[in-house]
Structure formats: C-alpha cells, structure tokens
Amino acid sequence: MATPNYNLPTISGNMTADVVRDMNALATATDGAIKAAVSSIDLSKIEQVDGRLTAHLEEKAKHNQFIHEGKLHQIGFGYNPTLGCMTFSIREVM
C-alpha cells in the first residue's frame, strides 16, 4: 500500500517489519517525489538577492494575503536571531 499523493510506501499491520529495508524504501520514494515536485517549478521568476533567494519580488504581498470575515489580512514572516526561531505576524491590510 502507498500514500495517495506521492505514492510513498506504508506498512500495514500484517506485514513483517524490516527497519532498514522500510526506511530505505521510504527515503528512496521521498527523494523521487521531491525531485518530481521540484522539477515542475518554474525557476525563471526566481532571482538571487544579497545571498538570499527571493521569488516574485514585485508580487510577494499577493502571496501572503487572505480574507477573513470580509477583511484583507497580510502575513509577515521573519527570523528572530536572539531566539533562533522563525516569527510571523498577521495584520489587517484593508
């Protein structure tokens, strides 16, 4: 049996478990699924800026907005070096 989206191998209750075999099968299937997904990405709109990868610079605000209760909100992502973790904020735009 396999997962529905990426055909990753799963183990059912009546199968014999072999940790090395099963982990290798999962790693190989995951590697193939990632390769297939990444190969379909259009890289023509991605550019390198100051050593950081940024996509669709002129349109990035469109990609992190959503409407909730009839109001437009925007999500802001960042990194807190003091805490060593990702941060995010949500603010009403309109």
Coordinates of all heavy atoms in Angstrom, one line a residue:
M1 N 0.8 -1.2 0.0 CA 0.0 0.0 0.0 C 0.9 1.2 0.0 O 2.0 1.2 0.5 CB -0.9 0.0 1.2 CG -2.1 0.8 1.1 SD -3.3 0.2 2.3 CE -3.8 1.8 2.9
A2 N 0.4 2.4 -0.5 CA 1.2 3.6 -0.6 C 0.3 4.8 -0.3 O -0.9 4.7 -0.3 CB 1.8 3.7 -2.0
T3 N 0.9 5.9 0.0 CA 0.2 7.1 0.3 C -0.5 7.6 -1.0 O 0.0 7.4 -2.1 CB 1.1 8.2 0.8 OG1 2.1 8.5 -0.1 CG2 1.7 7.8 2.1
P4 N -1.6 8.3 -0.9 CA -2.4 8.7 -2.1 C -1.7 9.8 -3.0 O -1.9 9.8 -4.2 CB -3.7 9.2 -1.6 CG -3.4 9.6 -0.2 CD -2.3 8.7 0.3
N5 N -1.0 10.7 -2.4 CA -0.5 11.9 -3.1 C 0.9 11.6 -3.8 O 1.1 12.0 -4.9 CB -0.4 13.1 -2.2 CG -1.8 13.6 -1.8 OD1 -2.7 13.6 -2.6 ND2 -1.9 13.8 -0.5
Y6 N 1.8 11.0 -3.0 CA 3.2 10.9 -3.5 C 3.6 9.4 -3.6 O 4.8 9.1 -3.9 CB 4.2 11.6 -2.7 CG 4.0 13.1 -2.8 CD1 3.3 13.8 -1.8 CD2 4.4 13.8 -3.9 CE1 3.1 15.2 -1.9 CE2 4.2 15.2 -4.0 CZ 3.6 15.9 -3.0 OH 3.4 17.2 -3.1
N7 N 2.7 8.5 -3.4 CA 3.0 7.1 -3.6 C 4.1 6.6 -2.7 O 4.9 5.8 -3.1 CB 3.3 6.8 -5.1 CG 3.1 5.3 -5.4 OD1 2.2 4.6 -4.8 ND2 3.8 4.8 -6.3
L8 N 4.2 7.2 -1.5 CA 5.2 6.8 -0.5 C 4.8 5.4 0.1 O 3.6 5.2 0.4 CB 5.4 7.8 0.6 CG 5.8 9.2 0.1 CD1 5.9 10.2 1.2 CD2 7.1 9.2 -0.7
P9 N 5.7 4.5 0.4 CA 5.4 3.2 0.9 C 4.9 3.3 2.3 O 5.4 4.1 3.1 CB 6.7 2.4 0.8 CG 7.7 3.4 0.8 CD 7.2 4.7 0.1
T10 N 3.9 2.5 2.7 CA 3.4 2.5 4.0 C 3.4 1.0 4.5 O 3.6 0.1 3.7 CB 1.9 3.0 4.1 OG1 1.1 2.2 3.3 CG2 1.8 4.4 3.7
I11 N 3.3 0.8 5.8 CA 3.4 -0.6 6.3 C 2.0 -0.9 6.9 O 1.4 -0.1 7.7 CB 4.4 -0.7 7.4 CG1 5.8 -0.3 6.8 CG2 4.5 -2.0 8.1 CD1 6.9 -0.1 7.8
S12 N 1.4 -2.0 6.6 CA 0.2 -2.5 7.2 C 0.5 -3.4 8.4 O 1.6 -3.9 8.5 CB -0.7 -3.1 6.2 OG -0.1 -4.3 5.7
G13 N -0.5 -3.7 9.2 CA -0.4 -4.5 10.4 C 0.0 -5.9 10.1 O 0.6 -6.6 11.0
N14 N -0.3 -6.4 8.9 CA 0.0 -7.9 8.7 C 1.4 -8.0 8.0 O 1.7 -9.2 7.6 CB -1.1 -8.5 7.8 CG -1.2 -7.8 6.5 OD1 -0.6 -6.7 6.2 ND2 -2.0 -8.4 5.6
M15 N 2.2 -7.0 7.8 CA 3.5 -7.1 7.1 C 4.6 -7.3 8.1 O 4.5 -7.0 9.3 CB 3.8 -5.8 6.3 CG 2.9 -5.6 5.2 SD 3.1 -3.9 4.4 CE 4.7 -4.1 3.8
T16 N 5.7 -7.9 7.7 CA 6.8 -8.1 8.5 C 7.6 -6.8 8.5 O 7.9 -6.3 7.4 CB 7.7 -9.2 8.0 OG1 6.9 -10.3 7.6 CG2 8.7 -9.7 9.0
A17 N 8.1 -6.3 9.6 CA 8.8 -5.0 9.6 C 10.3 -5.3 9.5 O 10.8 -6.2 10.2 CB 8.5 -4.3 10.9
D18 N 11.0 -4.6 8.6 CA 12.4 -4.6 8.5 C 12.8 -3.2 8.4 O 12.6 -2.5 7.4 CB 12.8 -5.4 7.2 CG 14.3 -5.4 6.9 OD1 15.0 -4.5 7.5 OD2 14.8 -6.3 6.2
V19 N 13.3 -2.7 9.5 CA 13.6 -1.2 9.7 C 14.5 -0.7 8.6 O 14.1 0.3 8.0 CB 14.1 -0.9 11.1 CG1 14.5 0.5 11.2 CG2 13.1 -1.3 12.2
V20 N 15.6 -1.4 8.3 CA 16.5 -0.9 7.3 C 15.8 -0.8 5.9 O 15.8 0.2 5.2 CB 17.8 -1.7 7.3 CG1 18.7 -1.3 6.1 CG2 18.5 -1.6 8.6
R21 N 15.2 -1.9 5.5 CA 14.5 -2.0 4.2 C 13.4 -0.9 4.1 O 13.3 -0.2 3.2 CB 13.9 -3.4 4.0 CG 13.1 -3.5 2.8 CD 12.1 -4.7 2.8 NE 11.1 -4.5 3.8 CZ 10.4 -5.4 4.4 NH1 10.7 -6.7 4.2 NH2 9.5 -5.1 5.3
D22 N 12.6 -0.8 5.2 CA 11.4 0.1 5.2 C 11.9 1.5 5.2 O 11.3 2.4 4.5 CB 10.5 -0.2 6.3 CG 9.9 -1.6 6.3 OD1 9.9 -2.2 5.2 OD2 9.5 -2.1 7.3
M23 N 12.9 1.9 5.9 CA 13.4 3.2 6.0 C 14.0 3.6 4.6 O 13.9 4.7 4.1 CB 14.4 3.4 7.1 CG 13.8 3.4 8.5 SD 12.6 4.7 8.7 CE 13.7 6.2 8.7
N24 N 14.8 2.7 4.0 CA 15.4 2.9 2.7 C 14.3 3.1 1.6 O 14.4 3.9 0.8 CB 16.4 1.8 2.3 CG 17.7 1.9 3.1 OD1 18.0 2.9 3.6 ND2 18.4 0.8 3.3
A25 N 13.3 2.3 1.7 CA 12.2 2.4 0.7 C 11.5 3.7 0.9 O 11.2 4.4 -0.1 CB 11.2 1.3 0.9
L26 N 11.3 4.2 2.1 CA 10.6 5.5 2.3 C 11.6 6.6 1.9 O 11.1 7.5 1.2 CB 10.3 5.6 3.8 CG 9.6 6.9 4.2 CD1 8.3 7.1 3.4 CD2 9.3 7.0 5.7
A27 N 12.8 6.5 2.2 CA 13.8 7.5 1.7 C 13.9 7.6 0.2 O 13.9 8.7 -0.3 CB 15.2 7.3 2.3
T28 N 13.9 6.5 -0.4 CA 14.0 6.5 -1.9 C 12.7 7.1 -2.5 O 12.8 7.9 -3.5 CB 14.3 5.0 -2.4 OG1 15.5 4.6 -1.8 CG2 14.3 5.0 -3.9
A29 N 11.6 6.7 -2.0 CA 10.3 7.2 -2.5 C 10.2 8.7 -2.3 O 9.7 9.4 -3.1 CB 9.2 6.4 -1.9
T30 N 10.6 9.1 -1.1 CA 10.5 10.6 -0.8 C 11.5 11.4 -1.7 O 11.1 12.4 -2.2 CB 10.9 10.8 0.7 OG1 10.0 10.0 1.5 CG2 10.8 12.3 1.1
D31 N 12.6 10.9 -1.9 CA 13.6 11.5 -2.8 C 13.0 11.7 -4.2 O 13.1 12.7 -4.8 CB 14.9 10.7 -2.8 CG 16.0 11.4 -3.6 OD1 16.5 12.4 -3.2 OD2 16.3 10.9 -4.7
G32 N 12.4 10.6 -4.7 CA 11.8 10.7 -6.0 C 10.6 11.6 -6.1 O 10.5 12.4 -7.1
A33 N 9.8 11.7 -5.0 CA 8.6 12.6 -5.0 C 9.1 14.0 -4.9 O 8.5 14.9 -5.6 CB 7.7 12.2 -3.8
I34 N 10.1 14.3 -4.1 CA 10.6 15.7 -4.1 C 11.2 16.1 -5.4 O 11.0 17.2 -5.9 CB 11.7 15.8 -2.9 CG1 11.0 15.7 -1.6 CG2 12.4 17.1 -3.0 CD1 11.9 15.5 -0.4
K35 N 12.0 15.2 -6.0 CA 12.6 15.5 -7.3 C 11.6 15.8 -8.4 O 11.7 16.8 -9.1 CB 13.5 14.3 -7.8 CG 14.1 14.5 -9.1 CD 15.2 15.5 -9.1 CE 15.9 15.5 -10.5 NZ 16.8 16.6 -10.6
A36 N 10.5 15.0 -8.4 CA 9.4 15.3 -9.3 C 8.7 16.6 -9.1 O 8.4 17.3 -10.0 CB 8.4 14.1 -9.3
A37 N 8.5 16.9 -7.8 CA 7.8 18.2 -7.5 C 8.6 19.4 -7.8 O 8.2 20.3 -8.4 CB 7.4 18.2 -6.0
V38 N 9.9 19.3 -7.5 CA 10.8 20.4 -7.7 C 11.1 20.7 -9.2 O 11.2 21.8 -9.6 CB 12.2 20.2 -6.9 CG1 13.2 21.2 -7.3 CG2 11.9 20.3 -5.4
S39 N 11.1 19.6 -9.9 CA 11.4 19.7 -11.4 C 10.3 20.4 -12.1 O 10.5 20.9 -13.2 CB 11.7 18.4 -12.0 OG 10.5 17.6 -12.0
S40 N 9.1 20.5 -11.5 CA 8.0 21.2 -12.2 C 7.9 22.7 -11.8 O 7.0 23.4 -12.3 CB 6.7 20.5 -11.8 OG 6.4 20.6 -10.4
I41 N 8.8 23.2 -11.0 CA 8.7 24.6 -10.6 C 9.4 25.4 -11.6 O 10.5 25.1 -12.1 CB 9.5 24.8 -9.2 CG1 8.8 24.0 -8.1 CG2 9.6 26.2 -8.9 CD1 9.5 24.0 -6.8
D42 N 8.7 26.5 -12.0 CA 9.2 27.5 -13.0 C 10.3 28.4 -12.3 O 9.9 29.2 -11.4 CB 8.1 28.3 -13.5 CG 8.6 29.4 -14.5 OD1 9.8 29.3 -14.9 OD2 7.8 30.3 -14.9
L43 N 11.5 28.2 -12.5 CA 12.6 28.9 -11.9 C 12.9 30.2 -12.6 O 13.7 31.0 -12.1 CB 13.9 28.1 -11.9 CG 13.8 26.7 -11.1 CD1 15.1 26.0 -11.2 CD2 13.4 27.0 -9.7
S44 N 12.2 30.6 -13.7 CA 12.5 31.8 -14.4 C 12.2 33.0 -13.7 O 12.7 34.1 -14.0 CB 11.8 31.8 -15.8 OG 10.4 31.8 -15.6
K45 N 11.3 33.0 -12.7 CA 10.9 34.2 -11.9 C 11.6 34.3 -10.6 O 11.2 35.0 -9.7 CB 9.4 34.2 -11.7 CG 8.7 34.3 -13.1 CD 7.3 34.6 -12.9 CE 6.6 34.6 -14.2 NZ 6.2 35.7 -14.8
I46 N 12.6 33.4 -10.3 CA 13.3 33.4 -9.1 C 14.7 34.1 -9.3 O 15.4 33.8 -10.3 CB 13.5 32.0 -8.5 CG1 12.1 31.4 -8.2 CG2 14.4 32.0 -7.3 CD1 12.2 30.0 -7.7
E47 N 15.1 35.0 -8.4 CA 16.4 35.6 -8.5 C 17.1 35.6 -7.2 O 16.5 35.6 -6.2 CB 16.2 37.0 -9.1 CG 15.3 37.9 -8.4 CD 15.0 39.2 -9.1 OE1 14.3 39.2 -10.1 OE2 15.6 40.2 -8.7
Q48 N 18.4 35.8 -7.3 CA 19.2 35.8 -6.1 C 19.5 37.2 -5.7 O 19.9 38.0 -6.5 CB 20.6 35.1 -6.4 CG 21.4 34.8 -5.2 CD 20.8 33.6 -4.4 OE1 20.1 32.8 -4.9 NE2 21.2 33.5 -3.2
V49 N 19.2 37.6 -4.4 CA 19.4 39.0 -4.0 C 20.2 38.9 -2.6 O 19.7 38.3 -1.7 CB 18.1 39.7 -3.8 CG1 18.3 41.1 -3.3 CG2 17.3 39.7 -5.1
D50 N 21.3 39.6 -2.6 CA 22.1 39.6 -1.4 C 22.3 38.3 -0.7 O 22.2 38.1 0.5 CB 21.4 40.6 -0.3 CG 21.4 42.0 -0.8 OD1 22.3 42.4 -1.6 OD2 20.5 42.7 -0.4
G51 N 22.5 37.2 -1.5 CA 22.7 35.9 -1.0 C 21.5 35.2 -0.5 O 21.5 34.1 0.0
R52 N 20.3 35.9 -0.6 CA 19.1 35.2 -0.2 C 18.2 35.0 -1.4 O 18.1 35.8 -2.3 CB 18.3 36.1 0.8 CG 19.0 36.3 2.1 CD 18.3 37.3 2.9 NE 18.5 38.6 2.2 CZ 18.2 39.8 2.6 NH1 17.7 39.9 3.8 NH2 18.4 40.9 1.9
L53 N 17.5 33.9 -1.4 CA 16.6 33.5 -2.5 C 15.3 34.2 -2.3 O 14.6 34.0 -1.3 CB 16.4 32.0 -2.6 CG 15.8 31.5 -3.8 CD1 16.6 31.8 -5.0 CD2 15.6 30.0 -3.7
T54 N 14.9 35.0 -3.3 CA 13.5 35.6 -3.2 C 12.8 35.4 -4.5 O 13.4 35.6 -5.6 CB 13.7 37.2 -2.9 OG1 14.9 37.6 -3.5 CG2 13.6 37.5 -1.5
A55 N 11.6 35.1 -4.4 CA 10.8 34.8 -5.6 C 9.7 35.8 -5.7 O 9.1 36.3 -4.8 CB 10.1 33.4 -5.4
H56 N 9.4 36.2 -7.0 CA 8.4 37.1 -7.3 C 8.4 38.4 -6.4 O 7.4 38.8 -5.8 CB 7.0 36.5 -7.1 CG 6.9 35.2 -7.8 ND1 6.7 35.1 -9.2 CD2 6.8 33.9 -7.4 CE1 6.6 33.8 -9.5 NE2 6.7 33.1 -8.5
L57 N 9.5 39.1 -6.4 CA 9.7 40.2 -5.5 C 8.6 41.3 -5.7 O 8.1 41.8 -4.7 CB 11.1 40.9 -5.8 CG 12.3 40.1 -5.3 CD1 13.5 40.8 -5.7 CD2 12.2 39.9 -3.8
E58 N 8.2 41.6 -6.9 CA 7.2 42.6 -7.2 C 5.8 42.2 -6.8 O 5.0 43.0 -6.6 CB 7.3 43.1 -8.6 CG 6.8 42.0 -9.6 CD 7.9 41.0 -10.0 OE1 9.0 41.1 -9.5 OE2 7.5 40.1 -10.7
E59 N 5.6 40.9 -6.6 CA 4.3 40.4 -6.3 C 4.2 39.7 -4.9 O 3.2 39.0 -4.6 CB 3.8 39.5 -7.4 CG 3.7 40.1 -8.7 CD 3.2 39.1 -9.8 OE1 2.7 38.1 -9.4 OE2 3.3 39.4 -11.0
K60 N 5.2 39.8 -4.1 CA 5.2 38.9 -2.9 C 4.0 39.2 -2.0 O 3.6 38.3 -1.3 CB 6.5 39.0 -2.2 CG 6.8 40.3 -1.4 CD 8.1 40.2 -0.7 CE 8.4 41.5 0.0 NZ 9.6 41.5 0.8
A61 N 3.6 40.5 -1.9 CA 2.4 40.7 -1.0 C 1.2 40.0 -1.4 O 0.4 39.6 -0.5 CB 2.2 42.2 -1.0
K62 N 1.0 39.7 -2.7 CA -0.2 38.9 -3.1 C -0.1 37.5 -2.6 O -1.2 36.9 -2.5 CB -0.2 38.9 -4.6 CG -0.5 40.3 -5.3 CD -0.5 40.1 -6.8 CE -0.6 41.5 -7.4 NZ -0.6 41.3 -8.9
H63 N 1.0 37.0 -2.4 CA 1.2 35.6 -2.0 C 1.0 35.3 -0.5 O 1.0 34.2 -0.1 CB 2.5 35.0 -2.5 CG 2.7 35.1 -3.9 ND1 1.9 34.4 -4.8 CD2 3.5 35.8 -4.7 CE1 2.3 34.7 -6.1 NE2 3.3 35.5 -6.0
N64 N 0.9 36.4 0.3 CA 0.8 36.1 1.7 C -0.4 36.9 2.3 O -0.3 37.4 3.4 CB 2.1 36.5 2.5 CG 2.5 38.0 2.3 OD1 1.8 38.7 1.5 ND2 3.5 38.4 3.0
Q65 N -1.5 37.0 1.5 CA -2.7 37.6 2.0 C -3.9 36.7 2.0 O -3.9 35.7 1.2 CB -3.0 38.8 1.1 CG -2.0 39.9 1.1 CD -2.3 41.1 0.2 OE1 -3.1 41.0 -0.7 NE2 -1.6 42.2 0.4
F66 N -4.8 36.9 2.8 CA -6.0 36.2 2.9 C -7.2 37.0 3.4 O -6.9 38.1 4.0 CB -5.9 34.9 3.7 CG -5.6 35.2 5.2 CD1 -6.7 35.2 6.1 CD2 -4.3 35.5 5.7 CE1 -6.5 35.5 7.4 CE2 -4.1 35.8 7.0 CZ -5.2 35.8 7.9
I67 N -8.4 36.6 3.1 CA -9.6 37.3 3.5 C -10.2 36.5 4.7 O -10.4 35.3 4.5 CB -10.5 37.6 2.4 CG1 -9.9 38.5 1.3 CG2 -11.9 38.1 2.9 CD1 -10.7 38.7 0.1
H68 N -10.5 37.2 5.8 CA -11.2 36.6 6.9 C -12.2 37.6 7.4 O -11.9 38.7 7.6 CB -10.2 36.3 8.0 CG -10.8 35.7 9.2 ND1 -11.4 34.5 9.3 CD2 -11.0 36.2 10.5 CE1 -11.9 34.3 10.5 NE2 -11.6 35.3 11.2
E69 N -13.5 37.1 7.4 CA -14.6 37.9 7.9 C -14.7 39.2 7.0 O -15.0 40.3 7.6 CB -14.5 38.2 9.3 CG -14.6 36.9 10.2 CD -14.6 37.2 11.7 OE1 -14.3 38.3 12.1 OE2 -14.8 36.2 12.4
G70 N -14.5 39.1 5.7 CA -14.6 40.2 4.8 C -13.5 41.2 4.8 O -13.6 42.2 4.2
K71 N -12.4 40.9 5.6 CA -11.3 41.9 5.7 C -10.0 41.2 5.2 O -9.8 40.0 5.4 CB -11.1 42.3 7.1 CG -12.3 43.1 7.7 CD -12.1 43.4 9.2 CE -13.3 44.1 9.7 NZ -13.2 44.3 11.1
L72 N -9.2 42.0 4.5 CA -8.0 41.5 3.9 C -6.9 41.6 5.0 O -6.7 42.6 5.6 CB -7.6 42.4 2.7 CG -6.3 42.0 2.0 CD1 -6.5 40.6 1.3 CD2 -5.9 43.0 0.9
H73 N -6.2 40.5 5.1 CA -5.1 40.3 6.1 C -3.8 40.0 5.4 O -3.8 39.3 4.3 CB -5.4 39.3 7.2 CG -6.5 39.6 8.0 ND1 -7.9 39.5 7.7 CD2 -6.6 40.1 9.3 CE1 -8.6 39.9 8.6 NE2 -7.9 40.3 9.7
Q74 N -2.7 40.3 6.0 CA -1.4 40.0 5.4 C -0.5 39.3 6.5 O -0.5 39.8 7.6 CB -0.7 41.3 4.9 CG 0.6 41.0 4.2 CD 1.2 42.2 3.5 OE1 0.7 43.3 3.7 NE2 2.1 42.0 2.6
I75 N 0.2 38.3 6.1 CA 1.1 37.6 7.0 C 2.5 38.0 6.7 O 2.9 38.1 5.6 CB 1.0 36.0 6.8 CG1 -0.5 35.6 7.0 CG2 1.9 35.3 7.7 CD1 -0.7 34.1 6.6
G76 N 3.2 38.4 7.8 CA 4.6 38.7 7.7 C 5.5 37.7 8.3 O 5.2 37.2 9.4
F77 N 6.5 37.2 7.6 CA 7.4 36.2 8.1 C 8.8 36.8 8.4 O 9.2 37.7 7.7 CB 7.6 35.1 7.1 CG 6.3 34.3 6.9 CD1 5.5 34.7 5.8 CD2 5.9 33.3 7.7 CE1 4.3 34.0 5.5 CE2 4.7 32.6 7.5 CZ 3.9 33.0 6.4
G78 N 9.4 36.3 9.4 CA 10.8 36.8 9.7 C 11.5 35.8 10.5 O 11.1 34.7 10.7
Y79 N 12.7 36.2 11.0 CA 13.5 35.3 11.8 C 14.1 36.1 13.0 O 14.5 37.3 12.8 CB 14.7 34.8 10.9 CG 15.6 33.9 11.7 CD1 15.3 32.6 12.0 CD2 16.9 34.4 12.2 CE1 16.1 31.8 12.7 CE2 17.7 33.6 12.9 CZ 17.3 32.3 13.1 OH 18.2 31.4 13.9
N80 N 14.0 35.6 14.2 CA 14.5 36.2 15.4 C 15.8 35.6 15.7 O 15.8 34.4 16.2 CB 13.5 36.1 16.5 CG 13.9 36.8 17.8 OD1 15.1 36.8 18.1 ND2 13.0 37.3 18.5
P81 N 16.9 36.2 15.5 CA 18.2 35.6 15.7 C 18.5 35.4 17.2 O 19.2 34.5 17.6 CB 19.2 36.6 15.1 CG 18.5 37.9 15.0 CD 17.1 37.5 14.9
T82 N 17.9 36.2 18.1 CA 18.1 36.1 19.5 C 17.5 34.8 20.0 O 18.1 34.0 20.8 CB 17.5 37.3 20.3 OG1 18.1 38.5 19.8 CG2 17.8 37.2 21.8
L83 N 16.3 34.5 19.5 CA 15.6 33.3 20.0 C 16.0 32.1 19.0 O 15.7 31.0 19.4 CB 14.1 33.5 19.9 CG 13.6 34.5 20.9 CD1 12.1 34.7 20.7 CD2 13.9 34.1 22.3
G84 N 16.5 32.4 17.9 CA 16.9 31.4 16.9 C 15.7 30.7 16.3 O 15.7 29.5 16.2
C85 N 14.6 31.5 16.0 CA 13.4 30.8 15.5 C 12.7 31.7 14.5 O 13.0 32.9 14.4 CB 12.4 30.5 16.6 SG 11.8 31.9 17.5
M86 N 11.8 31.1 13.7 CA 11.0 31.9 12.8 C 9.9 32.6 13.5 O 9.5 32.2 14.6 CB 10.4 30.9 11.7 CG 11.3 30.2 10.9 SD 12.3 31.2 9.8 CE 11.0 31.8 8.7
T87 N 9.5 33.8 13.0 CA 8.4 34.6 13.5 C 7.4 34.9 12.4 O 7.8 34.8 11.3 CB 9.0 35.9 14.1 OG1 9.6 36.7 13.1 CG2 10.0 35.6 15.2
F88 N 6.2 35.2 12.8 CA 5.2 35.7 11.9 C 4.3 36.6 12.6 O 4.1 36.5 13.8 CB 4.5 34.5 11.2 CG 3.5 33.8 12.0 CD1 2.2 34.2 11.9 CD2 3.8 32.8 12.9 CE1 1.2 33.5 12.7 CE2 2.9 32.1 13.6 CZ 1.6 32.5 13.5
S89 N 3.7 37.4 11.8 CA 2.6 38.3 12.3 C 1.5 38.4 11.3 O 1.7 38.2 10.1 CB 3.2 39.7 12.6 OG 3.7 40.3 11.4
I90 N 0.3 38.7 11.8 CA -0.8 38.9 10.9 C -1.4 40.3 11.2 O -1.6 40.6 12.3 CB -1.9 37.8 11.2 CG1 -1.3 36.4 10.9 CG2 -3.1 38.1 10.3 CD1 -2.3 35.3 11.3
R91 N -1.6 41.1 10.1 CA -2.2 42.4 10.3 C -3.2 42.6 9.2 O -3.2 42.1 8.2 CB -1.1 43.5 10.2 CG -0.5 43.6 8.8 CD 0.6 44.7 8.8 NE 1.2 44.8 7.5 CZ 0.8 45.8 6.6 NH1 -0.1 46.6 7.0 NH2 1.4 45.8 5.5
E92 N -4.2 43.4 9.6 CA -5.3 43.8 8.7 C -4.8 44.8 7.7 O -4.1 45.8 8.1 CB -6.5 44.4 9.5 CG -7.7 44.5 8.7 CD -8.9 45.0 9.5 OE1 -9.1 44.5 10.6 OE2 -9.6 45.9 9.0
V93 N -5.0 44.6 6.4 CA -4.5 45.5 5.4 C -5.6 46.5 5.0 O -5.3 47.7 4.8 CB -4.0 44.7 4.1 CG1 -3.5 45.6 3.0 CG2 -2.9 43.7 4.5
M94 N -6.8 46.0 4.9 CA -7.9 46.9 4.5 C -9.0 46.7 5.4 O -9.3 45.7 5.9 CB -8.3 46.6 3.0 CG -7.3 46.9 2.0 SD -8.0 46.4 0.4 CE -7.3 47.7 -0.6

